[in-house]
Amino acid sequence: MIQRITGLSLCAFLASAMAPGLAVADNSDADAPELSYTTVLSDLKDPWDMAFLPDGTMFFTEKCHGLSVRLPSGDVNPLLGMEDTEDYATTADDLFCHGQAGMNGVAVDPDFDDNRYVYVYSASRITPLHKNRVIRLTVNDDFSDVSDRTDIVEDIPYKQTESDHPFGDAGAHNGGRIRFNPGDGYLYVTTGDNHDGEIPQHPTRLGGKVLRIDRDGNAASDNNPPDGFNQRIFTYGHRNVQGIAFHPDTHETFVAEHGPWHSDEVKVLENGGNAGWDPRPNVGGRGDCPDHYCGYMPDQMEGMDPEERRAFMPMTDTERFPDAIRPAWDNDKKSQGMSSAEFLTGSQWKGWEGKMVVGFLGIGFGDTPIGQRLDLLDIAEDRLSVDVTTMSVPMGPARFRSVVQGPDGDLYVAVDEGEIYQITPE
Amino acid sequence: MKRQMALIIGTALTLVMAQAQAEDISAGEAIYTQSCAHCHGGSGQGMGSFPSIAGQDADYIAKRLTQYRAGEKVGPNTPLMAPMATDLSDDDIADLAAYISTTFE
């Protein structure tokens, strides 16, 4: 069999670690809520993200199909389709999917009632070098169509071709979550490093960054990146940020990002800060690397001790970048496909109120358990440590892609298997 | 007469071969559920960066698994798939191929 396991106790440990939603009844806080769930939508193809209006209207993306909306009545209207789709009110033939890229995040404008704006992040072939774009659309009155497409960001790098790396296909490390911060009203856009060693520390290429912009795509006026950097950059030195969430009281910005076969990280961002990821060859004691990217070294084809990997290719290099943003959590040095993040608010969540929920897709490379689960993080005041609880997910483990709290206070969860679930605390 | 003989031998041979290969679909299912479903999906539909393996015949599946087991590069994401095949026996591969090809459309 695949995993040769010796010893009963290790076996039991692995079993529980691999299927946490089922095996670990670890809603251990005394006042954890009881959870039930309903299936909101099924048979979707790679649902990627959701965004809500106060009345429960839910916009959602499917990576290779496009943007749709589910009305409170339960009816679904397909709005903006990508190439090769049918049945969408509007189709944009330049929008395409490949590998991890496609139509990713979706956000609604904080002033939606007045301007009817909704935003998506998508790969586009308008330019010969394909790019990711942040696209603003106007939704019509009866939610049956969108118009006035305006690409407010046109230059987020997209990985053009295959390279010699794990997940090495084109479209890799593509970022793609977009969220408005209720604290400052700006749109935050998370991007990825494209398996390109130069990108994360590069002052003007927008991959490996968190951008902070207004609804027209202009830099937030108080962004504070180093001299020579593109002003839209809020933070840099990221690998592949897939989750972003704002603290419900302080509005601090937290991100969740995939680790390089070690150390998925959750961290609070500092305006202008460097998150410390630099996979260039011939720096930090490393030599040449496959296709000029050291991100999976020293051994990119086989499992090895995450600790050893970390010493060789740190996710946050505090030696070279002493001021680097420190993670609050590194997933116990494991990489398990950390994806999306959200803070739970409201007393219905009982002991979990104010905690951050993070979803994991699960990977299972080398000896690392697959780890598909939803974790709850109680983040310390100093933002440098966390207490972790694993949710006993009522519908069982899956590739948890997106977690968003709805206006009803429930948690909505999209999984690659094709469902969007609603988790209700009792 | 000759023809009949050939037919009998042919049938016998087919029977023997079927016997020797007797793929165990439920054993294939057990491996699939435990080791493959979290990437390729419960019905082989593919998810995220992981390809669909539905609608393929058994020979194709078995050939691919054998390639991965041998450490051959197939597609750009070979390093993710290859470790999943290294410990598969010939029987495991036959069982998986039978399960996948007969169950997923």
Side-chain angles (χ1 to χ4, degrees), chain A residues 210-272:
Chain A
V210 175
L211 314 179
R212 181 169 169 254
I213 54 178
D214 67 15
R215 60 168 60 90
D216 298 316
N218 303 310
S221 54
D222 59 342
N223 280 352
N224 191 28
D227 285 349
F229 274 54
N230 186 298
Q231 268 308 116
R232 291 172 290 178
I233 295 171
F234 184 62
T235 54
Y236 63 103
H238 294 285
R239 182 171 180 273
N240 188 19
V241 183
Q242 298 277 292
I244 184 163
F246 308 100
H247 192 277
D249 301 324
T250 64
H251 301 126
E252 293 161 282
T253 306
F254 287 83
V255 294
E257 55 177 317
H258 286 277
W261 283 348
H262 66 80
S263 312
D264 292 322
E265 289 187 347
V266 169
K267 62 197 81 164
V268 63
L269 300 185
E270 298 152 23
N271 191 350

Side-chain angles (χ1 to χ4, degrees), chain B residues 19-101:
Chain B
Q19 200 63 29
Q21 293 184 347
E23 300 90 6
D24 182 344
I25 292 185
S26 64
E29 177 175 13
I31 302 176
Y32 188 85
T33 309
Q34 155 110 35
S35 309
C36 320
H38 65 277
C39 287
H40 293 289
S43 47
Q45 76 274 28
M47 299 184 291
S49 318
F50 307 121
S52 164
I53 51 172
Q56 303 287 2
D57 63 33
D59 286 350
Y60 177 90
I61 302 286
K63 179 172 160 236
R64 279 279 181 268
L65 291 175
T66 311
Q67 284 177 298
Y68 288 120
R69 185 176 63 180
E72 258 174 64
K73 182 175 156 64
V74 179
N77 291 325
T78 297
L80 292 167
M81 178 56 212
M84 307 301 148
T86 34
D87 289 344
L88 296 175
S89 67
D90 289 347
D91 283 348
D92 291 341
I93 289 182
D95 295 348
L96 278 163
Y99 171 68
I100 292 166
S101 60

Side-chain angles (χ1 to χ4, degrees), chain A residues 287-344:
Chain A
D288 289 336
C289 294
D291 288 337
H292 314 292
Y293 180 80
C294 299
Y296 296 96
M297 297 303 278
D299 180 350
Q300 59 172 28
M301 296 307 171
E302 273 166 56
M304 66 185 285
D305 180 9
E307 190 66 64
E308 245 179 278
R309 284 193 186 280
R310 177 149 90 160
F312 186 86
M313 182 65 243
M315 182 74 170
T316 301
D317 190 341
T318 51
E319 260 174 53
R320 295 189 44 236
F321 309 112
D323 296 331
I325 296 167
R326 300 301 201 267
W329 190 44
D330 65 3
N331 187 24
D332 301 326
K333 304 186 180 61
K334 292 195 288 289
S335 162
Q336 298 174 310
M338 189 189 279
S339 53
S340 163
E342 178 80 310
F343 282 93
L344 296 177

Side-chain angles (χ1 to χ4, degrees), chain A residues 80-81 90-95 120 122-126 133-138 146-152 154:
Chain A
L80 179 69
T90 298
T91 308
D93 288 331
D94 65 303
L95 305 184
V120 292
S122 181
S124 158
R125 0 176 165 264
I126 288 183
R133 292 171 168 241
V134 180
I135 297 169
R136 191 182 73 201
L137 302 156
T138 305
V146 289
S147 58
D148 302 328
R149 169 176 168 180
T150 308
D151 296 6
I152 64 169
E154 303 181 334

Side-chain angles (χ1 to χ4, degrees), chain A residues 189-212:
Chain A
V189 179
T190 76
T191 70
D193 75 12
N194 292 193
H195 285 155
D196 182 321
E198 300 288 332
I199 281 186
Q201 299 290 327
H202 197 281
T204 57
R205 297 174 72 189
L206 298 184
K209 309 290 188 301
V210 175
L211 314 179
R212 181 169 169 254

